Amino acid sequence: MKPKGSLRKGAKMEFVLKHLHPVKIKEIKPIGNGDRVCLDMMSNFKSGHGLLVGSYNRSLFLIHCETMPNQFVSKRPARVNAGPVSMYVLCSNFTTKYLNELKPGDALFTVDSKGKTSVNTVARSKIEPRPMLLIRGTHRIRGSVIFKLLYSEGQDYFNGYRSIFHLKERKTGKPISVLDVEKYRNKQTNICADLDVETIVQDAETVPLVCRDGRPKSMKQLKPGDRIMAYIQNPELQSRHFGMAYEGFCLER
């Protein structure tokens, strides 16, 4: 059954560097055990590269390969400790799969913080119970983008996503109703929106995320206020059907 909206074939999609953003961490908290997927790839990752993985299609976080030294294990440059089984991962044809679906031979998209891309192929997937952490953050959206969405999608877009898309005045932080947005037509720089994003990772030293300066940092060292890299999907293409992005309403939270 096809969803409402127009499907877009994954093969025609492309990586857009300007959608790779630093997002601000708001909260990190333990959420119990889950089935973690660890991916061993056919080739070593290039320096600085990792996989785009996340809880939501709208935000895929850059999980770095295991090249950081620590006191527990040696470097494993062909491995990414990706996250729990239900997370999305970006494939080489720009569709997504659940981590649970991956098998040897699947080609995944890899990227670094500067936007350099490549493809790496799964050799083995390991699923094991491990303690998990929830990482919540926000991505700031400029006023000009808000008005572009308002004109192209209408007020229903903001009403549908109001639980994850928080309109406010940029300087004061005062919340703004979608009904009042039009008042800022001639002063678009005075408004912004915070988009809720999150992912889940294993609570382990071997899970580095990529910071805004391009350096990997173990999740054990991350804290609220830090900024880590994530791929923020086009707002018009936040929905997916069998891994393919399409234009249509789909609220993930």
Side-chain angles (χ1 to χ4, degrees), residues 100-155:
N100 191 46
E101 296 179 294
L102 294 177
K103 59 186 183 301
D106 285 340
L108 302 182
F109 184 84
T110 81
V111 65
D112 69 5
S113 64
K114 305 298 183 183
K116 295 180 180 178
T117 65
S118 63
V119 173
N120 207 339
T121 303
V122 176
R124 174 175 52 249
S125 172
K126 294 175 59 181
I127 301 177
E128 301 162 302
R130 291 291 186 269
M132 298 291 180
L133 287 177
L134 173 66
I135 300 177
R136 285 199 174 109
T138 57
H139 168 59
R140 177 62 55 87
I141 297 174
R142 301 189 309 274
S144 58
V145 176
I146 293 171
F147 273 87
K148 180 182 177 182
L149 288 171
L150 182 63
Y151 296 145
S152 63
E153 304 295 322
Q155 288 187 357

Side-chain angles (χ1 to χ4, degrees), residues 68-74 205-206:
M68 292 181 62
N70 67 73
Q71 59 181 320
F72 300 103
V73 296
S74 302
E205 291 80 359
T206 55

Side-chain angles (χ1 to χ4, degrees), residues 159-228:
N159 287 329
Y161 290 108
R162 64 182 179 274
S163 64
I164 62 169
F165 196 91
H166 310 291
L167 295 162
K168 61 184 181 180
E169 290 187 349
R170 186 173 62 85
K171 291 184 178 180
T172 66
K174 178 183 176 181
I176 299 173
S177 165
V178 65
L179 299 176
D180 294 329
V181 170
E182 192 63 32
K183 298 177 182 179
Y184 295 85
R185 178 198 293 267
N186 297 321
K187 42 185 178 180
Q188 296 180 12
T189 57
N190 289 358
I191 66 170
C192 63
D194 285 338
L195 178 68
D196 291 339
V197 297
E198 68 180 47
T199 195
I200 299 172
V201 297
Q202 181 185 341
D203 185 358
E205 291 80 359
T206 55
V207 184
L209 287 91
V210 179
C211 297
R212 68 185 307 174
D213 61 4
R215 293 183 297 176
K217 193 173 186 179
S218 170
M219 51 70 45
K220 286 287 193 182
Q221 300 172 321
L222 291 173
K223 60 186 183 302
D226 287 346
R227 295 182 184 272
I228 53 179

